[in-house]
Amino acid sequence: MQPEEFLTKLAELLSTRKTGEHVYLSQKRLTGQNEVPKATEENPFPDLTQSATTPKPIIIRATDGKRKKHITSGGEKIKLSTEVSPDQLEGFYTRYAEVCKANMTTLKPRDRKKGKAKARKKKGGAGQTSMTAIP
Amino acid sequence: MPYYDKSEDWLHQSTLLIRARPLTTRITTSYGIKPAHRFTKVEKLAGTATSEGKNADKPPRGKLILKTYDPVSGSCLKYATSKAAEVSRLIQMLGTLARTMAGGPQSEVEQQPAVAAEKDEVMADAPPSGGGVAESSANRSGAGTPVSAAAAAAAAASTGSAGGGGGGKGKKKKGKR
């Protein structure tokens, strides 16, 4: 599936979700079945030594997580996937973010008044992360 | 399965995991909608499970969960939010991680020092088996000059990683929390 088509269908999938339904999106590097070597004592990070240095496309999948039971009872599982080559990632993710932002409508909208009150209360330690950075 | 409080922390740790295992790590984002109010069994039995509950005027709430998982080492890092304001920032983070995942020349430049730092960290946490010995011997020979100290650190890092440093990554994360 082409990235454009994927995004259009994803928008449709996200916007038609009802209460109690889910959408699962996953992304991983596109690898062949036997491409990943096993880690050994001598080489605990085989990823870093072998083909990891050559750019590979990313595969992005989307599904509604419907189970077999649902499918046998007449429903249909929605599965979408697309491959994005490394040089197109930037543009794809900009569009992807737009699609997600526009269609994930049930998330809490920003409450400006409340936010301001909280910011005043929390003055000082707001910008800190909960963990120390690795030096 | 730790949930991080800040998305920045999740991004940082996920970047480290992907750099260590770019071939097997995957990121799953789940978006789900829950009703604002769930009726309890008591309410259902009593027949009071109507739509005029205390949360009847509230719309159903969505939730977004980001999960970085590596099946080989079993590391799993999570971040959950229900704020709409965070969505585009989080997807941009996914984009950054995707670029790291894809590998290639642009990420390799920043990758090298980070990986070295990671290995140093692992070694410091690990029991002083191979790495400790190498370090002490290097300290004896290198008379405190910065160049030899750096060489010693590099040698220690390499021996540390060879001596079963594979499991150290997950352990380190648990210790840091």
Side-chain angles (χ1 to χ4, degrees), chain A residues 14-15 17-31 35-37 39-48 50-58 60 84-87 89-90 93-98 100-110 118 122 125-135, chain B residues 4-6 8-9 12-13 16 18-36 38 60-64 72 81-85 87-88 91-106 108 111-112 115 117-119 121 161-167 169 172 176-177:
Chain A
L14 284 172
S15 57
R17 285 306 91 186
K18 290 188 249 32
T19 302
E21 292 184 321
H22 286 78
V23 175
Y24 299 95
L25 309 162
S26 88
Q27 61 181 55
K28 78 184 290 286
R29 189 184 156 104
L30 193 67
T31 45
E35 202 186 314
V36 186
T40 54
E41 278 282 294
E42 296 79 38
N43 186 15
F45 292 99
D47 302 45
L48 300 178
Q50 297 220 349
S51 52
T53 42
T54 53
K56 276 284 176 78
I58 299 287
I60 295 150
V84 183
S85 57
D87 52 320
L89 278 173
E90 190 118 27
Y93 270 92
T94 316
R95 303 257 347 259
Y96 190 39
E98 279 166 19
C100 289
K101 203 185 171 190
N103 292 291
M104 291 180 178
T105 45
T106 57
L107 297 170
K108 257 183 232 158
R110 193 195 294 269
K118 255 188 194 168
K122 270 192 184 173
Q128 301 252 317
T129 59
S130 58
M131 300 193 316
T132 50
I134 289 175
Chain B
Y4 290 101
D5 293 336
K6 309 251 176 193
E8 290 85 9
D9 294 337
H12 181 70
Q13 296 297 332
L16 294 182
I18 289 170
R19 275 179 190 158
R21 299 200 182 271
L23 294 180
T24 50
T25 305
R26 69 175 96 113
I27 302 175
T28 314
T29 312
S30 93
Y31 168 67
I33 308 169
K34 268 189 190 169
R38 279 195 181 190
R61 272 289 161 244
K63 198 179 184 188
L64 197 64
V72 175
T81 188
S82 60
K83 293 189 189 108
V87 173
S88 49
I91 304 286
Q92 286 306 320
M93 282 183 184
L94 290 182
T96 319
L97 292 172
R99 247 168 284 144
T100 316
M101 234 186 235
Q106 83 271 33
E108 214 177 333
Q111 192 176 327
Q112 288 314 320
V115 166
E118 176 74 2
K119 279 184 178 160
E121 190 84 12
S161 68
K169 199 169 155 56
K172 185 207 72 176
K176 277 183 80 83
R177 287 201 80 226

Side-chain angles (χ1 to χ4, degrees), chain A residues 5-18:
Chain A
E5 194 189 349
F6 173 81
L7 288 171
T8 328
K9 289 207 170 162
L10 178 66
E12 194 189 323
L13 175 66
L14 284 172
S15 57
T16 53
R17 285 306 91 186
K18 290 188 249 32

Side-chain angles (χ1 to χ4, degrees), chain B residues 26-145:
Chain B
R26 69 175 96 113
I27 302 175
T28 314
T29 312
S30 93
Y31 168 67
I33 308 169
K34 268 189 190 169
H37 176 65
R38 279 195 181 190
F39 299 113
T40 60
K41 216 170 188 179
V42 177
E43 279 174 316
K44 274 179 192 164
L45 286 171
T48 51
T50 53
S51 55
E52 290 158 32
K54 49 183 175 176
N55 290 324
D57 54 330
K58 280 190 190 167
R61 272 289 161 244
K63 198 179 184 188
L64 197 64
I65 300 171
L66 303 171
K67 182 171 93 173
T68 316
Y69 176 61
D70 169 35
V72 175
S73 65
S75 319
C76 182
L77 315 164
K78 284 176 135 187
Y79 177 73
T81 188
S82 60
K83 293 189 189 108
E86 281 190 287
V87 173
S88 49
R89 192 153 48 90
L90 291 174
I91 304 286
Q92 286 306 320
M93 282 183 184
L94 290 182
T96 319
L97 292 172
R99 247 168 284 144
T100 316
M101 234 186 235
Q106 83 271 33
S107 66
E108 214 177 333
V109 180
E110 46 167 339
Q111 192 176 327
Q112 288 314 320
V115 166
E118 176 74 2
K119 279 184 178 160
D120 284 347
E121 190 84 12
V122 169
M123 184 207 68
D125 264 13
S129 53
V133 174
E135 195 172 34
S136 53
S137 63
N139 281 351
R140 259 182 268 121
S141 58
T145 58

Side-chain angles (χ1 to χ4, degrees), chain A residues 106-122:
Chain A
T106 57
L107 297 170
K108 257 183 232 158
R110 193 195 294 269
D111 191 345
R112 288 178 195 276
K113 267 186 195 167
K114 213 175 177 184
K116 268 184 191 168
K118 255 188 194 168
R120 234 176 273 144
K121 233 185 231 174
K122 270 192 184 173

